[in-house]
Amino acid sequence: MKKCVFFALAVMVLASCEKAIDPLEIQQQQTSNSYESEQAVNGKKFTFTVKGDFSDEWKPVSRGYLSSDGKDLTDVWVLDYDADGHLLQQLHQNDNTAEDFGKPVMNLAYGAHQVYFIASRGVGPVLDTDAHTLKFGSVRDTFWKRYDVSVVATSNGNRAVTLDRVVTKLRLTFTDEVPATANSISIIPHTWYYGLDYTTGQPASAQTDAATVITIPDASKGQTGIQASLFGFSTAAEWNTDVVISSRTATDAVLGSATITAAPFKANRVSDYQGPLFSAGGSMSLSLNGEWEDSYQGTW
């Protein structure tokens, strides 16, 4: 009789030491393992480091900024397409103070991909994935690259992507003194491109005779040699357009104007013009500066 009692007591003690099994916990573990296995089988994580064939001002600094010509870029877009041209996923980085700015991370499924990268400091960006365009209310320095990658199990997930400048710049230097009554400068190219086809790198969103108005700061009054610049998207091949420039008072009265005929533009090059504006009576042609700005071919 005592043996039976001790045996029952031992069974009770043994049962009390066992951990109860939670069915929900088992389900969660199975789901997690299934997800990890699926990720391992179907794709791989890629970390892209955005670099470029840019000027030596383009470099990451202490908090992950990217800069060009001494000014910080503000946005990075990454668009992932499959071999059939279907958009699989997209990523937009718009916090240039973040540690990972310029180092986007994507999980890419196994197979062929066409990944498009855009880095810019343009103002008012509008992305249209149906039309494959990215356009800006005000164009600034912008860089682009199509990057083809075939993802397999042994793929290296760390990639450096070299972007190319896809904008041109009209830089105007005014050789006469800015009068106290001057309030603004208007720049009107006959044809100008405010957007990019991100699948081809070609200019898009052309506008005809659209004015860009720049307010003249008080500090520039009485000065000579002040400058104004206008960025626009461009092809790598040279093209031409006319540009009309005028200076106006606060009441919109014209102080002076100038016309550039068939100004040449191409991507990654500055078209540098100089001449009088504020004292110019009627239309006149400005002379083209023969020294083009060199394109930088460096890497870091």
Side-chain angles (χ1 to χ4, degrees):
M1 183 68 181
K2 289 182 180 180
K3 290 182 180 180
C4 293
V5 171
F6 285 135
F7 176 75
L9 183 60
V11 170
M12 291 175 62
V13 171
L14 178 63
S16 66
C17 294
E18 292 179 351
K19 179 182 178 181
I21 299 176
D22 186 348
L24 178 60
E25 181 179 351
I26 294 176
Q27 182 180 0
Q28 289 174 338
Q29 290 176 348
Q30 289 175 341
T31 301
S32 176
N33 293 336
S34 174
Y35 174 78
E36 291 173 359
S37 299
E38 183 179 350
Q39 289 295 99
V41 170
N42 294 336
K44 193 160 189 177
K45 184 174 77 171
F46 277 72
T47 300
F48 297 98
T49 301
V50 175
K51 295 187 177 183
D53 182 14
F54 312 128
S55 74
D56 58 4
E57 293 291 339
W58 173 275
K59 55 184 179 292
V61 294
S62 58
R63 288 184 292 175
Y65 297 153
L66 294 176
S67 67
S68 173
D69 291 335
K71 296 182 179 180
D72 296 329
L73 299 184
T74 57
D75 296 84
V76 172
W77 290 266
V78 186
L79 298 107
D80 173 29
Y81 282 76
D82 65 16
D84 296 321
H86 299 123
L87 177 62
L88 302 177
Q89 57 184 322
Q90 58 182 293
L91 181 153
H92 179 200
Q93 294 183 320
N94 59 0
D95 180 5
N96 66 3
T97 66
E99 291 288 348
D100 64 345
F101 184 72
K103 295 184 178 181
V105 177
M106 270 190 169
N107 289 316
L108 301 185
Y110 289 149
H113 295 256
Q114 291 139 19
V115 188
Y116 301 97
F117 294 83
I118 310 105
S120 180
R121 60 181 182 88
V123 179
V126 177
L127 179 68
D128 185 342
T129 56
D130 292 329
H132 301 152
T133 59
L134 177 62
K135 61 182 179 180
F136 297 86
S138 181
V139 182
R140 299 288 189 273
D141 222 351
T142 303
F143 304 85
W144 169 89
K145 177 63 72 176
R146 167 178 164 167
Y147 187 84
D148 292 346
V149 57
S150 182
V151 181
V152 297
T154 56
S155 293
N156 182 351
N158 296 313
R159 300 294 178 95
V161 183
T162 300
L163 278 62
D164 300 315
R165 181 179 275 112
V166 286
V167 292
T168 186
K169 181 166 70 171
L170 170 63
R171 183 168 58 199
L172 304 170
T173 302
F174 306 111
T175 56
D176 51 352
E177 182 178 311
V178 181
T181 55
N183 181 69
S184 64
I185 296 169
S186 174
I187 306 172
I188 307 177
H190 180 61
T191 301
W192 206 246
Y193 297 93
Y194 294 84
L196 171 76
D197 182 330
Y198 61 76
T199 63
T200 64
Q202 296 302 299
S205 306
Q207 293 190 32
T208 302
D209 297 328
T212 295
V213 179
I214 301 170
T215 300
I216 299 173
D218 290 338
S220 296
K221 306 289 179 67
Q223 302 295 315
T224 59
I226 72 164
Q227 292 184 328
S229 296
L230 182 65
F231 285 90
F233 288 93
S234 177
T235 58
E238 187 176 278
W239 57 282
N240 302 82
T241 194
D242 298 340
V243 183
V244 176
I245 311 137
S246 63
S247 60
R248 296 176 181 268
T249 67
T251 59
D252 211 32
V254 176
L255 290 171
S257 63
T259 299
I260 305 172
T261 302
F265 296 99
K266 65 182 295 187
N268 199 34
R269 192 179 72 179
V270 175
S271 293
D272 213 348
Y273 281 82
Q274 61 180 350
L277 176 68
F278 306 100
S279 58
S283 180
M284 63 172 293
S285 296
L286 302 182
S287 60
L288 175 65
N289 188 330
E291 292 296 325
W292 295 105
E293 180 174 288
D294 291 336
S295 301
Y296 286 85
Q297 302 292 331
T299 60
W300 46 266

